[in-house]
Amino acid sequence: MKKRITLLVALSVFILGCSLPRPAVSQDRKPPSSPTPPTPEERARAAEVMKELRNKWLTADADEFGLEGEDAKAKVWGVMMETALPSGVATLISIRDGTASLYTTGGGGVLGGYSAKAQARQFVLAAEKHLARMKPTKEFPYPETGRVKFYVLTRAGVYTVDVDDKALWSERHALHRLYRAGHEVLTGLRLASGKQ
């Protein structure tokens, strides 16, 4: 539990530092100046921090996340979906207890906590149903541009599959429902961010 808290705190501190809301100003006052854009060095450091956090998720043990009851006994305890775009890679992670987060190789992200709890749980359950279509792995490369990579976190290790992004949009694709479940988590995080 302590390691889980440390990981989540590290992620939240970093993300909050990157995405603090701007203060409201009255119309008769000059708005505060926009923050200076990050330097290339700051961007590189942010990307490195995100990579380290990602690797911690992929190499962690389920017991480190404080799962309880049925969640603690389940074979699949988490799932990661990574989408490679020309601008970088977006990593979505969902845990069986309903926590979800999104972060990017550019250093930004959203620590969702339980803001998309139902969707995150459904994403993990969908990953469990599709586990037979994946292979075990001990290596965790990012997907190439135009590809989507799933990493399923189980008590027996990590399983993965790499798929063409466009192919997953077809309802006939074997992994379409898993892909759609991941997008439901993204929608939940986006809606929760809007409310905040």
Side-chain angles (χ1 to χ4, degrees):
M1 183 69 172
K2 187 176 180 184
K3 287 185 180 180
R4 178 186 186 195
I5 292 170
T6 303
L7 176 63
L8 292 177
V9 168
L11 181 58
S12 64
V13 167
F14 181 77
I15 289 171
L16 289 174
C18 292
S19 57
L20 289 174
R22 292 183 183 167
V25 295
S26 75
Q27 292 179 342
D28 61 341
R29 290 189 182 171
K30 182 179 178 185
S33 60
S34 298
T36 56
T39 65
E41 293 79 19
E42 290 170 333
R43 284 183 188 270
R45 178 62 190 139
E48 189 58 35
V49 168
M50 289 295 106
K51 186 175 181 181
E52 289 171 15
L53 288 170
R54 171 188 180 266
N55 288 340
K56 283 184 182 180
W57 283 105
L58 289 165
T59 58
D61 187 274
D63 297 330
E64 295 177 36
F65 289 87
L67 298 175
E68 300 174 351
E70 293 300 314
D71 292 339
K73 299 173 189 172
K75 180 179 180 179
V76 173
W77 60 272
V79 59
M80 182 180 285
M81 179 175 80
E82 295 192 307
T83 306
L85 306 166
S87 58
V89 177
T91 299
L92 173 70
I93 179 84
S94 291
I95 303 300
R96 194 171 191 96
D97 67 354
T99 57
S101 296
L102 171 70
Y103 42 95
T104 70
T105 53
V110 176
L111 179 66
Y114 293 107
S115 63
K117 185 174 183 176
Q119 297 95 326
R121 288 183 63 83
Q122 286 302 312
F123 188 30
V124 175
L125 293 174
E128 194 165 33
K129 291 176 184 174
H130 291 85
L131 192 59
R133 293 184 169 90
M134 302 182 192
K135 61 182 181 182
T137 186
K138 292 186 183 288
E139 297 180 3
F140 315 112
Y142 284 113
E144 295 179 10
T145 303
R147 308 288 294 177
V148 173
K149 191 176 282 277
F150 294 96
Y151 289 107
V152 179
L153 315 175
T154 80
R155 292 197 165 272
V158 179
Y159 286 72
T160 190
V161 65
D162 183 284
V163 187
D164 178 74
D165 183 22
K166 292 178 184 173
L168 285 169
W169 284 105
S170 169
E171 292 184 11
R172 289 186 248 172
H173 195 284
L175 296 171
H176 171 74
R177 289 187 183 200
L178 178 60
Y179 188 56
R180 190 171 66 189
H183 279 269
E184 290 294 326
V185 179
L186 291 172
T187 299
L189 291 174
R190 181 179 54 80
L191 292 174
S193 301
K195 289 176 185 173
Q196 294 169 8

